Amino acid sequence: MSTLESLTAHTDRLHPEPAPQSALLNLRSLLNSKFGFQAFRNHQEEVCLHVATGRDVLLVMPTGAGKSLCYQLPGLARGGTTLVVSPLLALIEDQVDKMKRLGLRADRIHSGRTRDESRSACVQYLLGKLDFLLIAPERFSVPGFLAMLQKRKPTLIAVDEAHCISQWGHDFRPDYRTLGEHLQALRPANVVALTATATPVVQDDICKQLRLTDEARLIHGFRRNNIAIQLMEAQPSQRLPLIQSLLKKDQSRPAMIYAPTRKVAEQLFEGLKSQFRVGIYHAGLLPQVREKNQSQFLQGNLEVIVATVAFGMGVDKANIRTVIHAGLPGSIEGYYQEIGRAGRDGHPSRAILMHAYVDQRTHEFFLGRDYPEVSVIKQIFEKLKPEKIHSDILKQDFASDFKSPQNQPEGAFEKAIEKLVIHRGAAIDFEGCVTVGVASWEKSYVEQRRHKEKMALQMSQFTQLHFCRMLGLIQYFGDQKDPGTPCGVCDSCDPSQAPLGVRPLTREEQGWVAQIMATLSVNDRRASGRLHKDLLEDSPAITRFDLERILEVLVKGGWVSLAHESFEKDGKSIPFKTVSLTSQGQRAKADDLARLKIAGDLPSRPKTPKKGARPRKRRKS
Ligand code: ADP
Ligand code: MG
């Protein structure tokens, strides 16, 4: 871009200042003098030292652990400018604001700023007057921007929310995709990639995509001792009254409620507003409204916020007492990050997850919407040529190809093009002209789609976990330094803390247990589906859900153990589980039945029979 070129013409000879040695030794004094902190938090010093001495670093620490300091402090210590790439404008604004208040020289360039403002930030950068320059990743697609940065390279590059670069992560952002390539042009600056959420696969991918070399991987602190994770099976219609009663106690607020869709968020908001000071946040609201609600919640003027996953990246509110998921999240990564917003002040907090089988339908819907069928994408790909075609023309073709009954949902064309670009089946330029890419996009896309499905499956398997919930999460993230002890506060470790308490088994349930034990003593390692069929012969009333609840009780009581297995069908792996008696179970006596406890029941739903519906006949046993 000519403006930028003319700007940079006279600054060719500017280079980053060398890192002053004294400052390297002085991390601690800077911590105090610049940031006003008395001491490092866990792991911060180790990370800062690595970054300050010029290593590439991948840092994975939970939200609220203090990752920003891990690039800000070494950035200051090294001198020159630290370039910070961050995915959301709101996050960038917030960070710049915080840094300025500390007296640091920080500015930002993004699409929300005027030309003059961005120009001024460039000038300041080129004159070496900025400690920090924050940008959104899409800035690199502005012609001339990279060349401007190259005129006076940054000393350090921080990539915040780095999981967004991995298509295996839960929050992949296409704009992050080409980041690694661009950063290469800014070497020798070292790179620190920061995220709160990355499984080992995602960690590998981040390092590969960003082309980190000989990086130190610092994966720390997934365990959160003060969050009691509690799960409850509840149908969508039961969730509002449950939330109303869960939030009644003053100690349970401030609270965040994650809704699976905008529509559900609206419904919950409507249902809660007469009882609580509640706000709402989702991507369908006007930015002013959204931001107002967010800041009202952060400042404490609202005590409850109902939000979709659009809320929260980088949100820093210390005293959230309860995080409720009114529906099954799409991935464990997302779930962990969302519950991590509870109890940042270290005080006891709860994370309650409401789920039901129907939630899987919601995820199937999202998958279909966000990941079009391969055949749909192919239709566009086959029209592409080495010569440019404007995307508006392709879009018209697409609309006529997919007239009803094959009608595609709103936005399907944009999604399809986005996927083609990500998987390099197409390239799109700044003016919206598309050219053909490589045919291998298909394989790569199919893999990503499968991965997405797998993430949702893993989330639903998490609800069936029969040991410490926190430990389940820690193992998922591969935090190898964790001691591996149960948390003691989740509903698995301490069933009495379940949202609805516990009760003894009913006579009917005790009868089921006796039957299960009798069946297993003859047929050990019974698949749970088979076991259900066995039970139905004598107890036609037992549902699959009943059986799962009873098995959970028996596993916790040490009477049976479960093993997860799978078989192949039509090229897909179908998971199932088998049930076996433990030696304690073999010794169990009828008297022991009275000691078993099961999670309390949901308040029963008011029965409103549909008009004209005949009363259901009960099956005779
Ligand atoms: P993350 O990016 O890991 O989610 P932040 O960098 O936003 O976390 O930090 C969370 C909060 O912790 C901020 O309010 C920050 O000022 C505070 N903080 C960070 N480091 C320290 C420290 N050493 N001592 C006290 N507070 C700190
Ligand atoms: Mg952060």
Side-chain angles (χ1 to χ4, degrees):
M1 200 165 59
S2 59
T3 343
L4 283 177
E5 269 160 25
S6 66
L7 246 173
T8 56
H10 62 284
T11 53
D12 272 358
R13 283 176 304 279
L14 289 178
H15 290 290
E17 301 90 290
Q21 283 302 313
S22 56
L24 286 184
L25 305 171
N26 248 343
L27 290 175
R28 269 170 191 268
S29 77
L30 277 176
L31 177 74
N32 188 257
S33 63
K34 292 282 185 183
F35 296 89
F37 295 142
Q38 297 309 311
F40 282 108
R41 284 206 185 139
N42 276 347
H43 312 296
Q44 279 180 330
E45 187 167 25
E46 180 199 2
V47 183
C48 287
L49 270 172
H50 274 96
V51 180
T53 50
R55 285 280 298 269
D56 281 355
V57 169
L58 170 66
L59 173 63
V60 188
M61 288 206 300
T63 310
K67 291 186 290 299
S68 317
L69 185 90
C70 298
Y71 67 79
Q72 290 169 356
L73 181 53
L76 285 183
R78 299 195 63 186
T81 307
T82 297
L83 178 73
V84 184
V85 185
S86 180
L88 293 180
L89 303 195
L91 266 186
I92 293 178
E93 287 297 316
D94 185 54
Q95 287 286 358
V96 169
D97 208 48
K98 280 189 183 148
M99 285 196 250
K100 281 189 169 167
R101 268 188 270 140
L102 291 172
L104 308 180
R105 301 176 304 168
D107 209 342
R108 69 285 192 204
I109 303 176
H110 58 64
S111 59
R113 308 202 75 208
T114 65
R115 242 166 192 280
D116 280 350
E117 287 169 333
S118 296
R119 204 185 131 89
S120 144
C122 288
V123 175
Q124 296 299 307
Y125 171 78
L126 290 168
L127 292 175
K129 292 193 172 164
L130 291 182
D131 300 317
F132 299 93
L133 176 65
L134 283 79
I135 59 166
E138 60 268 25
R139 198 48 23 189
F140 283 108
S141 61
V142 175
F145 183 73
L146 183 63
M148 189 280 289
L149 292 178
Q150 279 178 302
K151 299 280 178 186
R152 184 185 165 279
K153 290 183 179 173
T155 338
L156 170 67
I157 300 168
V159 180
D160 207 2
E161 310 291 349
H163 58 280
C164 295
I165 201 173
S166 173
Q167 55 163 311
W168 308 124
H170 68 103
D171 197 14
F172 173 61
R173 310 249 162 160
D175 285 322
Y176 263 59
R177 199 64 186 160
T178 47
L179 196 57
E181 220 170 287
H182 295 128
L183 298 190
Q184 222 39 26
L186 299 174
R187 293 286 188 173
N190 61 317
V191 177
V192 51
L194 314 108
T195 174
T197 150
T199 58
V201 178
V202 176
Q203 291 163 21
D204 286 345
D205 200 31
I206 294 173
C207 295
K208 190 173 139 211
Q209 299 297 334
L210 289 177
R211 307 186 195 181
L212 302 189
T213 50
D214 187 30
E215 78 281 350
R217 293 197 190 187
L218 307 169
I219 320 294
H220 289 305
F222 275 98
R223 177 177 289 268
R224 291 285 307 273
N225 292 320
N226 63 324
I227 303 180
I229 302 176
Q230 299 165 347
L231 270 63
M232 56 198 306
E233 187 137 359
Q235 295 305 317
S237 60
Q238 295 171 307
R239 292 173 191 169
L240 173 63
L242 273 170
I243 294 170
Q244 286 167 330
S245 75
L246 285 167
L247 296 186
K248 230 178 235 160
K249 280 196 192 136
D250 287 345
Q251 308 90 287
S252 64
R253 305 186 305 267
M256 283 201 64
I257 301 162
Y258 279 102
T261 62
R262 292 178 197 177
K263 197 171 139 204
V264 173
E266 294 284 353
Q267 288 164 349
L268 294 175
F269 171 69
E270 287 301 321
L272 293 170
K273 72 182 184 194
S274 62
Q275 226 174 324
F276 306 103
R277 283 179 288 130
V278 55
I280 180 164
Y281 187 104
H282 61 66
L285 297 170
L286 288 174
Q288 311 84 286
V289 178
R290 217 161 57 203
E291 268 140 42
K292 183 169 160 248
N293 292 347
Q294 171 168 330
S295 66
Q296 293 281 306
F297 178 65
L298 297 183
Q299 288 160 19
N301 299 330
L302 294 174
E303 51 182 353
V304 178
I305 191 140
V306 185
T308 59
V309 293
F311 182 89
M313 206 189 256
V315 165
D316 184 17
K317 181 173 170 72
N319 62 343
I320 297 178
R321 297 276 69 87
T322 313
V323 171
I324 298 179
H325 280 84
L328 194 68
S331 71
I332 295 187
E333 284 99 315
Y335 171 66
Y336 179 80
Q337 206 173 23
E338 285 145 20
I339 66 169
R341 303 206 165 100
R344 292 217 202 149
D345 54 9
H347 296 304
S349 316
R350 288 210 290 182
I352 299 168
L353 167 57
M354 300 175 176
H355 63 97
Y357 185 71
V358 292
D359 290 329
Q360 292 176 23
R361 293 285 95 76
T362 314
H363 291 297
E364 280 163 21
F365 167 79
F366 285 147
L367 188 79
R369 187 197 63 184
D370 297 339
Y371 292 81
E373 293 292 334
V374 176
S375 59
V376 173
I377 304 184
K378 232 180 198 163
Q379 194 105 343
I380 301 177
F381 178 72
E382 280 162 4
K383 296 212 163 73
L384 300 180
K385 301 196 177 67
E387 298 80 44
K388 291 179 179 181
I389 308 177
H390 200 275
S391 58
D392 290 348
I393 298 174
L394 290 166
K395 189 170 179 174
Q396 278 164 19
D397 276 7
F398 182 80
S400 59
D401 286 346
F402 287 102
K403 283 219 181 83
S404 29
Q406 283 177 285
N407 229 339
Q408 288 295 312
E410 172 96 16
F413 173 78
E414 286 73 14
K415 282 280 173 221
I417 287 282
E418 177 193 295
K419 301 299 175 202
L420 273 176
V421 171
I422 291 168
H423 298 278
R424 308 195 194 287
I428 185 160
D429 68 13
F430 210 54
E431 290 161 334
C433 290
V434 187
T435 46
V436 70
V438 295
S440 57
W441 67 267
E442 187 175 335
K443 184 168 169 271
S444 151
Y445 176 65
V446 169
E447 245 176 79
Q448 191 198 1
R449 202 174 191 276
R450 281 218 189 108
H451 180 73
K452 201 79 198 168
E453 277 174 295
K454 188 172 153 200
M455 286 202 285
L457 179 69
Q458 283 171 325
M459 187 68 230
S460 72
Q461 284 168 344
F462 176 76
T463 64
Q464 319 228 322
L465 206 68
H466 291 291
F467 59 92
C468 172
R469 313 269 188 203
M470 185 55 81
L471 208 50
L473 293 177
I474 291 166
Q475 289 174 356
Y476 181 81
F477 285 103
D479 186 346
Q480 286 156 351
K481 290 198 183 136
D482 187 86
T485 43
C487 75
V489 292
C490 71
D491 62 344
S492 199
C493 289
D494 184 1
S496 69
Q497 291 302 309
L500 300 167
V502 288
R503 60 162 174 79
L505 301 189
T506 61
R507 278 206 170 279
E508 186 181 36
E509 287 162 343
Q510 290 190 3
W512 294 339
V513 173
Q515 252 181 293
I516 292 170
M517 305 308 277
T519 311
L520 291 180
S521 63
V522 188
N523 304 291
D524 201 30
R525 280 193 68 228
R526 200 72 161 160
S528 59
R530 259 314 278 285
L531 187 59
H532 184 224
K533 283 196 187 118
D534 297 336
L535 294 181
L536 280 176
E537 283 173 21
D538 290 321
S539 314
I542 186 170
T543 64
R544 189 63 199 263
F545 172 49
D546 293 328
L547 175 63
E548 292 299 333
R549 285 188 80 194
I550 297 287
L551 286 180
E552 197 173 327
V553 171
L554 296 181
V555 170
K556 279 180 195 156
W559 292 24
V560 306
S561 63
L562 302 180
H564 289 274
E565 301 183 28
S566 67
F567 64 91
E568 293 286 315
K569 193 181 168 200
D570 303 331
K572 273 194 179 174
S573 167
I574 313 281
F576 70 102
K577 57 176 186 267
T578 55
V579 192
S580 309
L581 272 188
T582 60
S583 50
Q584 188 188 337
Q586 282 161 0
R587 289 194 307 268
K589 301 202 177 61
D591 292 351
D592 298 328
L593 281 173
R595 283 205 297 276
L596 293 175
K597 294 269 187 334
I598 193 163
D601 299 301
L602 295 169
S604 57
R605 266 186 288 173
K607 291 201 174 70
T608 43
K610 281 191 197 123
K611 260 187 201 159
R614 272 191 258 156
R616 253 201 291 167
K617 273 186 202 157
R618 275 192 74 89
R619 283 176 66 172
K620 271 190 203 141
S621 49

